[in-house]
Amino acid sequence: MEFQLGCCGLNCNECPIFIATSNNDDSLRQKTLVEWSKLYADFLPKPLEPSDMNCTGCHSQNLFVGCISCSIRKCCGEKNLNNCGDCAEFDSCEMLNGFFSFGYQKAKENLECVRASR
Ligand code: SF4
Ligand code: SF4
């Protein structure tokens, strides 16, 4: 399976919705629906339904509803960047650093690896 790094640095391959979609795993879809409905209630545009629990990655056309509206993804798209690791504002970006501060340090590390490899 091709490694898919999201715009924000999350590894889509490790995302439960991505895995559930790849394996057509309805029990993982349901488990993730229950967990994410609680975790992300304030950030989702509408309550999650089973049909929402599909995604083939940040750069695909089949995107989870919560990631369709992601501001970081939108910003990368407007700048025509593959991910924030390619952005000159990486260190100073409040939006990105705000996201990291919610416990997404692994995403930061993934993007720092991208930058180190340039
Ligand atoms: S884009 Fe899809 S696979 Fe990637 S983190 Fe978001 S929901 Fe998961
Ligand atoms: S400005 Fe921030 S969110 Fe936008 S691409 Fe650059 S680092 Fe990412």
Side-chain angles (χ1 to χ4, degrees):
M1 188 189 298
E2 191 183 341
F3 175 69
Q4 293 208 44
L5 189 68
C7 294
C8 63
L10 286 178
N11 179 355
C12 289
N13 298 67
E14 294 175 350
C15 170
I17 301 187
F18 185 91
I19 294 168
T21 305
S22 300
N23 299 333
N24 196 18
D25 183 339
D26 281 338
S27 69
L28 181 57
R29 283 191 179 100
Q30 184 58 32
K31 179 174 179 281
T32 309
L33 185 152
V34 171
E35 290 174 1
W36 285 26
S37 292
K38 287 183 199 153
L39 273 176
Y40 302 118
D42 294 343
F43 304 99
L44 292 165
K46 64 177 183 59
L48 291 177
E49 298 172 14
S51 59
D52 291 324
M53 306 312 285
N54 290 290
C55 188
T56 49
C58 182
H59 298 287
S60 75
Q61 298 299 314
N62 178 22
L63 211 67
F64 171 61
V65 62
C67 291
I68 288 174
S69 52
C70 169
S71 305
I72 293 174
R73 182 174 167 277
K74 183 166 177 273
C75 187
C76 273
E78 287 168 357
K79 292 176 184 292
N80 204 23
L81 299 174
N82 204 37
N83 58 60
C84 292
D86 292 329
C87 182
E89 297 168 56
F90 177 80
D91 289 318
S92 61
C93 178
E94 286 184 17
M95 186 157 55
L96 188 63
N97 282 299
F99 167 68
F100 293 154
S101 72
F102 276 106
Y104 295 106
Q105 285 303 306
K106 187 70 176 75
K108 184 177 186 184
E109 289 168 22
N110 287 341
L111 291 176
E112 282 170 343
C113 282
V114 168
R115 292 171 71 76
S117 69
R118 292 281 181 265

